Every structure is written in structure tokens, then in C-alpha cells.
Amino acid sequence: MLECLNKGAVDYLLKPIRSEVAKTIFLHIHRSNTSGMRSPRSNSLIEYPSPIIRGYSNYEERLDEIFAKDKWLTDTIIQYYIPPSSLLDIPRSPRLNSASEIERTNDLKKKLAEWEFDSHKLSEGDLMRCVVIIFEHAMELDELRELNVSTDILHRFLFAIRQAYHDSNPYHNFTHAVDVLQAIFFFLCKMNLLPTLFSAGYNKRRGKSCNNQQRCRPNDLLRDSDVFALLLASIGHDVGHPGVNNDFLIQSQTPLAQLYNDKSVLESFHAMTLFNLMQKYGFKIYDNKPPCDSNYSEFRKIVVNAILATDMQLHNNYVKDIKEQILRFESLDFNPSPQKLLEEKNIIVGALIKCADISNTARPYHIAKSWSNVLLQEFTCQGDLEKKLGLPVAPNNDRNRVSQPDSQIGFIDFCAMPLFKSVSELIPEIGFTIDYLEVNRRTWNDKKDTDGDNRSLRHNSSGNDSGVIVSLDSRQNSPIAVPAARTLPYLRPMNLPDGPGSEAHSDDCGKSLNRDDILSTAEASDAPLTQQIGGRSRRRSLWSFFTKNKLKAIINSNNNNVVDNNSDYHNNESTSSSVICCSIQ
């Protein structure tokens, strides 16, 4: 009750209330908060409400309240950006030891053991099976057996991660997460840090200590817990990704960007969300150790730094660090002190996950192209939003300018090849990727002269040019509704379609979308917002975003005409509670 009162509630409610009553309470609170302002028509000062009497009287109680509010803030941020959580049915999770599953499991194990792994060709159930196979395999390592994590807890946690990805993202979805996980798994097997899936048994692998008689290798520095941390970071490195990049969040001044001071915004959010899910679903690492145990602290640092390494804006810095580390490993007297050991391991782990994150460019060409198709689809969807909001549009985001072969060749030349070459010098076991990159670059260069691959991209939510059908919405996600960072005077709330079928939105949002403070734009395609199918409103998958720009005119990219003042992009009235919902399909 005190918590509710401290947040401004006048009455403490003991049971759920109707939405009409909730609106009345909001207005009452709003009037109470503004009752202390001086009347504009008189000099009389209205008395401010007296301060709320807090329930604590000492230092400890005040800190307890602060910690409680911190947890509430964390949960609120995460709930804004990830799909609504649903009940996880553990009995329905993949049971890989049943007779009916053995044949399918062995087939998936063969796929996981190959670099030609194509997650786009796997069903949602098989993607989840692949994740379970890898993690159950890793949990058999000697050091990880001591964690005593039950199978049900492991499955529940992995399903929670899966639920936290947005399927409506063409690229940054669970399929991409599984692709990165498999690449890391493949690298670790090559480095003999993990036994292969078809090994007869686990050979005890102990990290060799670096000494003056034998040159130290990166493999020698990583323990079993570091291997597990890398696998965990791989499957959770993009959890809750909204479908737009850091630049978009920073330029539109979202609260998330301001929270992290415009530095590795999404990566910081992913790391926070991953550890929040670990806590929420009881996946406790080193739970039998003291709270200040150094093992957990180091484990957390490895996971967090691995996820932060996936920030492409820091790409060149990581390549530089890798090259400097190569020189240190070439020295026979290289023997890092305990204080420097974690720093060296973070560079190794960062190098591996960075290669895995962009490993699709180093897969066989038909797989690399399918990933390129969905990646450019997500880029151009963001570009469409940027045009509507008057934000700068990068060349790769402009569907009228981008060339798929050129973008892939440029990415290989300036990002992928320098990284993979440097990491191959540090870790020779992944040197095979260089050959794939060279072949793919030649192929893209050959395709550059053909009209079919150099045309302007068009939005396509059902497939891609390679013939590989990519399911972008195999699990229905709910729209995210977040308060706008700033008032948008040029955007007027639109009335969303009402009538039969509209209640589907209410179920997902937790509130009806037919509101005065919700604005929705059309999808990236030219389909009208109110398209009707069989007398029912077509369900839209929405993505909320913020913007700071106050535009006086929106330029139509098709005919270069200025939208007039009566269009849906203009409004003379502003409200601080505006919410923008936009589709990214």
C-alpha cells in the first residue's frame, strides 16, 4: 500500500477496475500534481500538496525501497521491448531421449556438426531442439556438472530466451540466434574446447598453463565455464532486439538510448535482459557459492563483454585488440598474470562471438545469400521509417539506392575479411572461413553485373530470391507500446480499425488499440492500414518507436510531393502521452 501511495495513488485499490475508472483516476492524479501551480489569471498561489509521508525511518529501509524500485524499473524496460511472456509448457519441450525423437535428433546432430548448417530450413521445433542439444551436450563438461542445473530448469530458461525474440524481425530473430550459437559451437569443437556430438565419451580437458617452454595458445586460457558463458552469450546476444539499430534509437532519442548514454545501447539492453531471464526462471549459476564468489563474477563479466563485442560500431577497435594480442601470444615468455588473464580471455571470447555473429557471410554462398536477403529487408524497413520521420537514411537502408552485391562486397572487404584474417592468425582452427569469404566475394562480384541481383530491393515478407522460404512470424508476437520520448506535433492520432477482429489487439496489448493516443502508420509495403479480409480487420504486427524530430513537412519519396497540412502527419495539438506504433513485417 505504501508503494502505491508513494507513486501518487490517492486510493488503494483492492481489486481490478474497469478501464473507464482507470482513466478517471489518471485525470484525478494529473489534476492533483498540477494543483500547486500559480493560476495564470491571478497572482494567488495555490497551495502545493503536502509531501508524501514515507514508510521508512532509517538508512536501511530507504535502500530497500531504492532496490525495489530498481527492480521495478528493470522489469518495466524489459517488458516494453520484449514480446509478452506466456506460460512455458515444459512437458511439451523437446524430449530428446524418447524413441520417436532419436532419429530426428541424430539428423539434427549431423546438421549441427557441419559448417553448411542452414537454420532457415529448420522448423521452429527443430530450432529449439538444436539449442537444447547443444546446451545439454555442454552441460556434461566436468566443471559444469557441479552447477546441478536440472533439465526442466534448463528447458524453461531456453524457452524463455526463445520467447523474448521478435519473430517479426526479418533478420534479428531467434533463427539468427540459433545460427550464431551453431557457429560458436562449431568453432569450440574445432578448438577441442568441446567434444563433438558423436564422441564416444568426454575426455577430460584441462587448460594448459602457459610457461616459458611451450608457446601459450588461446585454447589454453579458456575453462569449461568460459565455454558455457560463450554459448549462453551466443543464444542471448540479440534477445529482445526491436528490429532497428543503435543509430535509429540514438537519433530518435529513445529513453533506452538515454539510459545507456548512446553507447552500445542495444547490446547493453540484451545483456541486461539475458541476466534478468536467468534470475526470473531460476537458472542460477554457482548458486551454491557465496554471493560475492569470484567464479560467478568472472562468469558474468565474460557473458556481458561477449555481448558488448557484437556492437559493430566498435568493430575496428576489436580487430586492433586482436592484432595486438597475436603479438603477445607469439612471445615465448607470455604468461598473463591473474589480473590480466580475464582481459585476455575477454578478447578471445569477443573475437569468437564476433566471427559467429557475422558468420553468415562466410557460409556457403546459397546460405550467405538467404541471410543477405533478410538483412537488407530489415535495413530497408528501417529506412522506410527513417524517411517518414525525417531521420538521416543510410545508403544500405534506402531501398531505392541499395545494391545487394555492392553492400555484400563492401562488408566482406571492410568488416568480415579483416576480422576473420586476424582471428585466424590468433586461432588457426577457424582459418577455413577465409576460403568461403573469398569464394562468396567472387560470386557477388560476378552477380554485380547481372540485372537480377542489382535491382532495387522490394519488401517481401514471405520469402527471398534464393528460393529459401523464411518464416518471419511463426509465433505471433504482440505490439510494443511505449510512451514517446518527445511530443510529435506533426503526427495526428489515427483511428485504428474497429469492429470484428479488433479484440485480437486488445488481448495482446493488454489494452485496446482503438485509443486517441495511439498512432499507426502503414507497413513498409503500400498496403492500406485498414485492409479488410472476410469482414475482419487484418491483424497487424506493430513495433513502437520514438522520435525527437518536429517536422513541418514530410516528403513523399515516390512523387516528391509535400504532404499537406491536413494529412495524418500534422497536428496542431500536442500531448505528452503520444505513442507511435509502426509495422515492421
Side-chain angles (χ1 to χ4, degrees), residues 223 225-226 229 232-233 268 271-276 278 285-286 293-308 342 346:
R223 302 177 304 171
S225 59
D226 302 323
L232 185 62
S268 300
M272 179 188 70
T273 304
L274 179 61
F275 278 93
N276 182 271
M278 289 176 63
I285 306 298
Y286 303 110
D293 181 65
S294 60
N295 289 327
Y296 175 78
S297 177
E298 182 174 333
F299 171 82
R300 174 176 164 79
K301 288 178 181 178
I302 292 290
V303 174
V304 171
N305 281 280
I307 296 177
L308 293 179
L342 180 59
N346 278 329

Side-chain angles (χ1 to χ4, degrees), residues 321 399 455 488:
D321 291 340
R399 66 176 66 251
R455 66 185 185 279
L488 301 169

Side-chain angles (χ1 to χ4, degrees), residues 237-277:
H237 79 285
D238 274 333
V239 63
H241 198 291
V244 292
N245 59 20
N246 284 332
D247 285 339
F248 185 93
L249 298 177
I250 293 170
Q251 291 172 10
S252 54
Q253 287 192 356
T254 63
L256 194 63
Q258 295 180 14
L259 177 66
Y260 294 113
N261 298 318
D262 300 345
K263 297 179 180 179
S264 301
V265 177
L266 284 173
E267 292 73 25
S268 300
F269 169 71
H270 300 323
M272 179 188 70
T273 304
L274 179 61
F275 278 93
N276 182 271
L277 291 175

